[in-house]
Amino acid sequence: TAGVTTAAPKPKAAASKAAAALKPGGLHAKPKAAAAKLDTLEDKRKFVKMWEMKIDDKDCEVQAEANKKAKKDLETALKKLQTDETYVKV
């Protein structure tokens, strides 16, 4: 069967994106140094609104997860979001 080709495995880049999505913060994680630049009240309001949306999204993920180990990991990530130093300070 010289003319038959087998399906090549998916590139590792797709797997790494999926793994990054499972890590706390996921693909949309921002460096903490960028979050520390909150000079005006408007900047602080935008940051708090954005951060609360992240917390709400993570909470929805926790509620929807059936796997206990994955749920535990998501709960840990949620706790980190809720107790983030910059968020608590603002």
Side-chain angles (χ1 to χ4, degrees):
T1 61
V4 176
T5 59
T6 59
K10 297 280 183 189
K12 290 185 179 182
S16 65
K17 282 185 181 180
L22 296 177
K23 291 182 181 177
L27 294 173
H28 305 290
K30 293 186 178 183
K32 290 185 179 184
K37 192 176 179 182
L38 301 172
D39 298 329
T40 66
L41 182 60
E42 187 63 30
D43 289 341
K44 291 178 182 180
R45 285 181 178 160
K46 286 180 183 178
F47 174 77
V48 169
K49 185 176 182 179
M50 182 256 327
W51 205 258
E52 287 178 347
M53 287 190 331
K54 282 185 176 184
I55 290 173
D56 187 49
D57 290 345
K58 190 61 70 176
D59 187 43
C60 289
E61 286 182 49
V62 169
Q63 299 301 322
E65 184 60 53
N67 183 325
K68 284 188 179 185
K69 182 176 180 346
K71 189 170 189 169
K72 179 80 171 165
D73 293 341
L74 289 171
E75 287 172 345
T76 303
L78 175 62
K79 185 71 171 177
K80 285 182 182 179
L81 284 173
Q82 291 171 336
T83 58
D84 181 72
E85 184 178 323
T86 306
Y87 175 70
V88 171
K89 189 174 95 173
V90 173

